[in-house]
Amino acid sequence: MSEVSTTLERDSVSPEALAHLGEGHIAYVKQVRSEDVPDLFPQAPKIAPGLKLFALHAADGTPIMLTDSREAAVANAWSNELQAVSVH
């Protein structure tokens, strides 16, 4: 795995361009509460409240998958040839 560092000047990138940055190459893993699942994944079955889950999203924010472990989300990203990053 290699590290890539990019510095952008504020206001030098349009919101539209920023939304496409990393598209097809980067995905992010975000911890979510089970209460937030219906908004992110409307097709998901009802899940008990109070659970800590992990969502994998495309670089543009599109939800890809939901799992109960960060490791499974990262593995799914790798299997789809995406570089996974975490969002805190």
Side-chain angles (χ1 to χ4, degrees):
M1 187 168 19
S2 63
E3 265 188 58
V4 176
S5 178
T6 302
T7 304
L8 301 173
E9 293 295 321
R10 185 180 175 132
D11 299 327
S12 68
V13 179
S14 71
E16 294 79 19
L18 188 60
H20 294 289
L21 189 65
E23 193 171 89
H25 304 285
I26 296 174
Y28 63 90
V29 178
K30 181 177 179 183
Q31 183 176 321
V32 297
R33 300 173 318 148
S34 55
E35 292 85 355
D36 299 327
V37 170
D39 292 334
L40 295 170
F41 298 90
Q43 73 281 13
K46 188 169 179 140
I47 300 174
L51 298 176
K52 179 174 70 170
L53 302 168
F54 295 86
L56 179 66
H57 295 264
D60 68 357
T62 304
I64 297 173
M65 73 162 298
L66 182 69
T67 182
D68 62 351
S69 78
R70 183 185 181 288
E71 293 77 16
V74 170
N76 185 276
W78 287 347
S79 71
N80 286 292
E81 299 180 3
L82 297 168
Q83 176 66 45
V85 297
S86 293
V87 176
H88 301 279

